[in-house]
Amino acid sequence: MAVDEGLKIELGKQGVFVTTLQELYNWGRRSSVWPMNFGLACCAIEMIATTMARYDMARFGAEVFRPSPRQADMMIISGTVTKKMAPQVVRLYNQMAEPRYVIAMGACAISGGPFKQGYNVLKGIDRYIPVDIHIPGCPPRPEALLEAFMALQKKIDAQHLTGEDRPRHLDAEAQGLFPVPGQGEHDLEPAANKSVWTVPVVIR
Amino acid sequence: MMEAEGDLLEVSMGPHHPSTHGVFRMDVALDGEKVVRLKPVFGYLHRNHEKLGEDHSYLASMPYTDRLDYICSLTNNWAYALAVEKLAGQAVPERAEYLRVITAELTRVQNHALSVGFLLQDMGASGTPLMYGFREREKILDLFEALTGSRMMCNYMRFGGCRVDATPEWLDAARKVVRDLPGFVDEYEALICTNEILMARTQGVGILRPELAVSAGVTGPMLRASGVNYDIRKVDRYGIYDRFNFKVPLGDHCDVYDRFMIRLLELRESIKILEQALKDIPGGPVMDPKAKIRNFRPKAGEAYGRIEAPKGELGFYLISDGGPNPYRYRVRPPSFVNLTILEDMCLGHNVADVVLILGSVDIVLGEVDR
């Protein structure tokens, strides 16, 4: 239930602050999203640049990079995921506590990027774990990462505490563990997690 | 191998570890805190660079070289351009040579500023020294962006010159950045070089004897920190490096502290080269008018082009069979070769020092695994 905006402003003038529990809850969560200290490739350097003085990700409450997945809320897939690394990425994601979010940063994390033809390159991390935000670019500029982070904050803001569309972390039935792919004879087994990824339909 | 008493503790450091500078794993066997065995495990970022190089035309591999050592894209460009120019017998105009030196030395400055920052970060000086390094790096990246259109992946050099010319305004902006650089190095040295914790943690740690360094093929600041006078800018005098007056700093104690200091001293020498190059840069074209861009097919043969990249000797070995693609495309990455002696440097030290010794090697996994 939302509070009437006019009433809220009027009460604010009287020194009364009115909000809903849902807004307060989402405000708290979106203002302290701690990313995981997890760099994969080139994009990791731009990710570090984003946390430095010029771009200053601390303005959004996301400067505390945690080395442990247990303490992190957000995973930035910053670079090429190879087939040797993909199982560890999924395992790290499984180790994160809900609520957790994933930003796929750069062309490689989205689709394999310039290395897509390579025999050892995974063609997009969204084959194994659910991705919230995709940022194109090779590498994306720090501004693009900030934009993605703001988009994520909007997404958190729009989440409902109850009801059918409540987020995964409030849903006891939701999938928590995602299957970790193994090294098969020629490729990763399975080649994709069908519950999070469907083969895209190409419209010609 | 040392004799250990009792059970050994095997620790797998990485591939997700905040100090491994990417996805690198070390299987360490510990006796208490002491390292008894260390096995580096590579390949977590193997992106098939060499195979893709054989599938692409010569020019199409140029953007891929940016992503080898992704901190210093311009020196990678130069090494690759040098190898292809050697293969095709291509000349480079004077102004392009100067632009190459300017961009390569700016790359060296930002790489060293970053690598000392990361080394201190590994030591526990969380954030602040790295922020100083990144502050300077952003100024240099602004220059790269103005010149080439990209902050990191510059893709600037071509066979027979450079892609675009620098405007007089760009050269003025570069002069201004270079003028401010000595102040940054002074500030950095004043803040950290005599720091008690830094000296206690790094002096006498990770000794690399010059004999071992030479026989293992170590190059770059690592080798010079062990006291071996070998800088390809002086040895090969590729490009126009014979015109500049600069010194090669050498270490004495072969430890992590020397490797740290060598990088700061090299910063000063790079600034000297930059000042001279920006003063002397002539006019003229930046591409050889006879250079062939389309349908580029060098005659059959082989060539090895190498430069002094910020991390050591970066070489490209190409075999041409007369076709549009190289028959064989091989990269000799400095940080991979420098990493092979990691175990010898780490044995007998505490596990906390392994992080520091790895930081002093200054690796970039894009180049190690390719």
Side-chain angles (χ1 to χ4, degrees), chain B residues 101 105 233 244 246 269-277:
Chain B
V101 168
E105 292 305 321
R233 289 175 294 179
F244 302 114
F246 67 102
E269 298 304 317
S270 285
I271 294 165
K272 262 194 224 164
I273 299 174
L274 277 168
E275 281 166 353
Q276 297 167 44

Side-chain angles (χ1 to χ4, degrees), chain A residues 75-148:
Chain A
M75 188 182 200
I76 301 174
I77 313 280
S78 53
T80 319
V81 186
T82 59
K83 286 178 183 163
K84 188 170 180 176
M85 193 61 198
Q88 341 289 345
V89 175
V90 180
R91 198 167 289 141
L92 284 168
Y93 180 73
N94 281 339
Q95 286 172 1
M96 285 169 74
E98 292 278 6
R100 53 188 169 176
Y101 302 97
V102 174
I103 291 180
M105 183 181 184
C108 291
I110 296 174
S111 68
F115 299 97
K116 186 162 184 157
Q117 302 154 11
Y119 51 85
N120 192 34
V121 175
L122 183 70
K123 287 146 193 76
I125 190 62
D126 52 3
R127 287 172 186 237
Y128 292 110
I129 55 176
V131 175
D132 293 277
I133 310 281
H134 294 83
I135 329 171
C138 188
R141 295 177 60 87
E143 288 95 331
L145 183 59
L146 290 180
E147 168 79 23

Side-chain angles (χ1 to χ4, degrees), chain B residues 99 103 142-149 156 163-167 170:
Chain B
L99 280 172
T103 49
D142 282 349
L143 287 178
F144 288 168
E145 195 181 358
L147 182 65
T148 69
Y156 180 55
R163 181 157 54 86
V164 283
D165 197 358
T167 58
W170 187 86

Side-chain angles (χ1 to χ4, degrees), chain B residues 58 61-62 65 76-84 159 316 318 329:
Chain B
Y58 286 90
S61 285
M62 185 63 88
T65 62
N76 301 344
N77 284 179
W78 194 1
Y80 181 56
L82 205 68
V84 178
F159 317 131
F316 281 83
L318 299 167
Y329 174 103

